[in-house]
Amino acid sequence: MPEPTAAAPAAPAVPKARSCPFLPPDGIDGIRAAAPVTRATFTSGHEAWLVTGYEEVRALLRDPSFSVQVPHALHTRDGVVTQKPGRGSLLWQDEPEHTSDRKLLVREFTVRRMQALRPNIQRIVDEHLDAIEARGGPVDLVKTFADPVPSMVISDLFGVPVERRAEFQDIAEAMMRVDQDAAATEAAGMRLGGLLYQLVQERRADPGDDLISALITTEDPDGVVDDMFLMNAAGTLLIAAHDTTACMIGLGAALFLDRPDQLALLREDPSLVGNAVEELLRYLTIGQFGGERVATRDVDLGGVRIAEGEQVVAHVLAADFDPAFVEEPERFDITRRPAPHLAFGFGAHQCIGQQLARIELQIVFETLFRRFPTLRLAKPVEELRFRSDMVFYGVHELPVTW
């Protein structure tokens, strides 16, 4: 009688624990050094290919052979995909719809238009810092500054009424959790859909100086800009632009306050703020789980054959710490020459709001540390709660005083 065949051992789990909250998960550098494209087991229990090398991640993200319409949500508990692709939902679209819809949206995010927003962003930042100063320390910098500033900036851009912004902020947080079941995420999406539908109808009846109104009146020869397009586009951009920037502000402030030598450099020479933001983006790449793709045909990636239908994850954080990409990647250095990091993605799906994010972060960090030269943490870094339970990494709260 033949011996029973032993089951193949499960692929090792993707590392998530961090000894230092500002560095990538322990062990990810060893995986990258051994095999920049390898099998791994994810939170959902599904196995897939894990890509950790800088050049390999770039190759993956620019290859149209990999689709964003994946069968499993690898980073959630149940693996259920709750996002449904639709016109205007850029993050979950493949060609040719993605290129067509992106062209309709990207014209509203030119460098010139984003630069024109600087005075309004500066006003929002100043008003929040005025309120913090009047209140006195200690304060939670996430609740009083990191969350509301990008919420107001993006809400102004989309014309979200002031009285609905708190609700939008709550929805954004609910949709970014990875430790809840699909039903809870779906419920948050339904709440967002209701808010956006009402907003679109109001803008159709009374257009204003905002992005939704601009899209309603844009040239649309193919007739794709209907209510669903507007809701998908607005929802995708509102959530992504708010949560990512809020995380970068909170986590970036925590890192600076933990690295007084680098903060001193910025205070002594505010012109370094552009460099500082690029180094923050590389060092803190907040998309901690990476972009998910599925191969639409057999394809070679980094010397490994990926079969049609197999799922692949681009671990962008690991890629931005690849020593083949940047020397001494674990050294945070705001005087470092800016490197082409992948914090905003790469290829066709590179973030269209990246210039707005850069401008916000530059204004935030220059103004914050100029206005509060003695700002310091009100509790040790090791006592802070970090957002390991969310799609985007950051801090849940940041107690500071001065």
Side-chain angles (χ1 to χ4, degrees):
M1 184 174 181
E3 292 289 329
T5 303
V14 179
K16 289 188 286 187
R18 306 186 190 215
S19 297
C20 172
F22 300 116
L23 290 175
D26 302 342
I28 199 72
D29 55 342
I31 290 174
R32 184 187 56 239
V37 182
T38 188
R39 297 292 290 177
T41 301
F42 293 80
T43 302
S44 64
H46 291 97
E47 287 190 18
W49 292 100
L50 176 67
V51 186
T52 53
Y54 179 79
E55 289 299 335
E56 291 80 8
V57 166
R58 279 168 58 102
L60 167 61
L61 295 180
R62 68 171 173 248
D63 191 339
S65 302
F66 293 98
S67 167
V68 296
Q69 296 182 31
V70 297
H72 307 294
L74 296 173
H75 305 300
T76 61
R77 292 185 311 180
D78 51 22
V80 175
V81 175
T82 57
Q83 298 292 348
K84 306 298 189 295
R87 299 306 296 263
S89 55
L90 297 182
L91 296 178
W92 301 279
Q93 280 184 304
D94 292 323
E95 304 306 331
E97 290 83 3
H98 177 264
T99 296
S100 174
D101 291 0
R102 186 180 173 97
K103 284 180 179 178
L104 290 169
L105 295 168
V106 76
R107 68 184 68 168
E108 305 298 331
F109 286 88
T110 63
V111 174
R112 183 176 180 180
R113 290 193 180 192
M114 295 303 100
Q115 289 290 351
L117 298 176
R118 274 187 176 272
N120 188 51
I121 297 172
Q122 186 69 64
R123 175 189 61 79
I124 291 170
V125 168
D126 287 339
E127 287 177 355
H128 281 80
L129 293 180
D130 288 344
I132 289 172
E133 187 173 27
R135 175 179 174 175
V139 298
D140 175 6
L141 202 65
V142 169
K143 182 178 180 180
T144 59
F145 188 65
D147 273 350
V149 165
S151 177
M152 288 194 67
V153 169
I154 198 67
S155 294
D156 280 355
L157 187 61
F158 279 87
V160 178
V162 173
E163 65 271 15
R164 298 183 200 163
R165 294 181 182 183
E167 180 185 4
F168 157 66
Q169 203 164 306
D170 289 343
I171 292 171
E173 182 172 347
M175 293 188 70
M176 290 297 104
R177 300 195 69 88
V178 296
D179 60 348
Q180 63 187 6
D181 58 30
T185 304
E186 192 84 35
M190 293 292 289
R191 289 175 60 202
L192 178 64
L195 187 156
L196 293 174
Y197 179 78
Q198 186 174 358
L199 187 59
V200 167
Q201 302 315 307
E202 291 172 359
R203 289 296 168 268
R204 285 198 182 279
D206 183 21
D209 184 20
D210 58 81
L211 187 57
I212 292 178
S213 298
L215 288 171
I216 288 173
T217 58
T218 195
E219 184 178 347
D220 178 27
D222 298 323
V224 300
V225 185
D226 57 12
D227 285 356
M228 189 56 67
F229 179 99
L230 294 167
M231 291 166 60
N232 285 336
T236 300
L237 296 172
L238 276 165
I239 297 297
H242 164 261
D243 205 48
T244 52
T245 308
C247 288
M248 278 300 304
I249 293 172
L251 193 61
L255 177 61
F256 263 124
L257 295 174
D258 190 55
R259 309 291 168 89
D261 59 325
Q262 296 300 302
L263 181 52
L265 290 174
L266 181 60
R267 283 177 170 147
E268 291 164 9
D269 183 4
S271 70
L272 284 172
V273 71
N275 263 36
V277 166
E278 295 308 309
E279 178 69 344
L280 282 170
L281 287 165
R282 178 197 71 84
Y283 199 84
L284 298 176
T285 302
I286 57 172
Q288 60 180 336
F289 300 118
E292 300 179 41
R293 301 287 192 273
V294 60
T296 59
R297 63 176 181 85
D298 293 353
V299 59
D300 289 329
L301 180 66
V304 174
R305 173 53 63 95
I306 310 294
E308 178 181 353
E310 289 189 316
Q311 210 157 325
V312 189
V313 171
H315 201 302
V316 177
L317 175 58
D320 275 343
F321 273 75
D322 189 342
F325 157 58
V326 62
E327 292 185 4
E328 300 182 77
E330 295 191 358
R331 177 170 56 88
F332 177 61
D333 180 6
I334 68 170
T335 66
R336 188 194 299 274
R337 182 178 179 179
H341 58 74
L342 302 175
F344 292 116
F346 189 70
H349 285 271
Q350 193 170 35
C351 175
I352 67 172
Q354 59 183 286
Q355 296 307 325
L356 175 59
R358 285 185 165 99
I359 291 168
E360 279 191 72
L361 294 173
Q362 289 169 11
I363 292 172
V364 159
F365 290 117
E366 189 281 325
T367 310
L368 173 65
F369 295 125
R370 170 172 50 81
R371 290 278 305 268
F372 293 87
T374 61
L375 193 72
R376 64 186 186 276
L377 293 173
K379 65 165 58 174
V381 165
E382 53 270 21
E383 294 182 15
L384 299 178
R385 289 194 309 120
F386 289 85
R387 290 176 36 133
S388 57
D389 54 341
M390 311 291 280
V391 172
F392 298 113
Y393 190 64
V395 286
H396 282 291
E397 67 273 322
L398 185 64
V400 297
T401 191
W402 56 94

